[in-house]
Amino acid sequence: MSGVYARRIGVVVASAALAATSGLLTAPTAQAAMPTPVAASTARTYLSELTVSAEGSSTGYSRDLFPHWITQSGACDTREVVLKRDGTNVTQNSSCTAVSGSWYSQYDGATWTAASDLDIDHMVPLAEAWRSGASSWTTAQRQSFANDLTRPQLIAVTDNVNQSKGDQDPATWLPSRTAYRCTYARAWVHVKHYYNLKVDSAEKSALQSVLNGC
């Protein structure tokens, strides 16, 4: 599959949440995507229900307190499951490692053919979750959050883009690809609402601004 065609697939996926089942994609193995976040109208309602509070402290935080990537089935851990899900024509070896395929990064519009160029982003970063309420969770709860394949919490994206995001919330970081910002905000609110995490005032304002334009 050419890079141009892979990019076209990514654009279709971004522009229609249900494109994978709509018949718009004609490739034998169409790119899948993270679970579809709630609609913008629902996200606006969810956002209004979140507790607004000054962000908590990072004291005591460690990524080790959010065990990942855990085994999902057989030899496959969460990272490999997401790489398989988010890519096109992904081939895995006996250890479940992705050895070939194509990945379109929704954050920046880049297409990659080496899994090593992809990070699995936590939509709501682990440190952000910690400061928003997860510091009081059990390790089991944090493990579930860090490996959540059911909510729109995990997505394969360009590694250095994920690293530039770090643990920032939408008040200070949004995807450079503006066409994806609505989906990003919907997913962020979906995850925070499900896990009953707080938002700070600047974060809420940024999310409202994006969602009002959806």
Side-chain angles (χ1 to χ4, degrees):
M1 177 180 291
S2 71
V4 172
Y5 188 54
R7 183 179 298 274
R8 187 180 303 125
I9 288 176
V11 171
V12 171
V13 171
S15 63
L18 299 179
T21 57
S22 69
L24 293 176
L25 303 182
T26 58
T29 305
Q31 177 170 314
M34 70 177 184
T36 303
V38 294
S41 57
T42 302
R44 287 191 287 269
T45 299
Y46 279 6
L47 182 60
S48 71
E49 295 171 353
L50 293 177
T51 299
V52 180
S53 175
E55 198 161 81
S57 171
S58 293
T59 301
Y61 168 73
S62 168
R63 287 179 68 86
D64 293 340
L65 294 172
F66 292 78
H68 65 288
W69 305 112
I70 63 170
T71 300
Q72 293 290 341
S73 64
C76 300
D77 66 17
T78 307
R79 172 180 165 82
E80 296 302 337
V81 170
V82 176
L83 284 173
K84 176 73 170 178
R85 182 197 72 189
D86 288 4
T88 302
N89 297 328
V90 177
T91 301
Q92 297 171 310
N93 64 19
S94 59
S95 299
C96 203
T97 301
V99 293
S100 65
S102 177
W103 291 268
Y104 178 83
S105 173
Q106 299 285 7
Y107 289 0
D108 58 329
T111 298
W112 304 98
T113 56
S116 59
D117 288 318
L118 284 298
D119 275 356
I120 307 305
D121 180 42
H122 289 95
M123 177 64 61
V124 176
L126 305 183
E128 163 67 22
W130 177 270
R131 297 189 296 265
S132 303
S135 59
S136 65
W137 293 354
T138 64
T139 299
Q141 288 173 312
R142 288 192 287 262
Q143 176 175 292
S144 294
F145 176 83
N147 297 275
D148 191 350
L149 295 168
T150 305
R151 263 63 55 180
Q153 165 66 346
L154 300 173
I155 184 171
V157 296
T158 302
D159 54 2
N160 63 349
V161 172
N162 179 53
Q163 291 152 24
S164 72
K165 170 183 172 178
D167 63 355
Q168 298 179 81
D169 69 34
T172 55
W173 192 93
L174 287 167
S176 61
R177 186 169 162 262
T178 56
Y180 198 68
R181 289 183 178 179
C182 180
T183 301
Y184 187 86
R186 288 160 49 208
W188 183 282
V189 173
H190 185 156
V191 171
K192 280 224 162 175
H193 187 269
Y194 180 83
Y195 285 98
N196 196 29
L197 294 170
K198 300 174 183 178
V199 291
D200 63 47
S201 56
E203 175 187 357
K204 182 175 182 177
S205 178
L207 288 164
Q208 284 178 324
S209 179
V210 175
L211 291 172
N212 286 341
C214 291

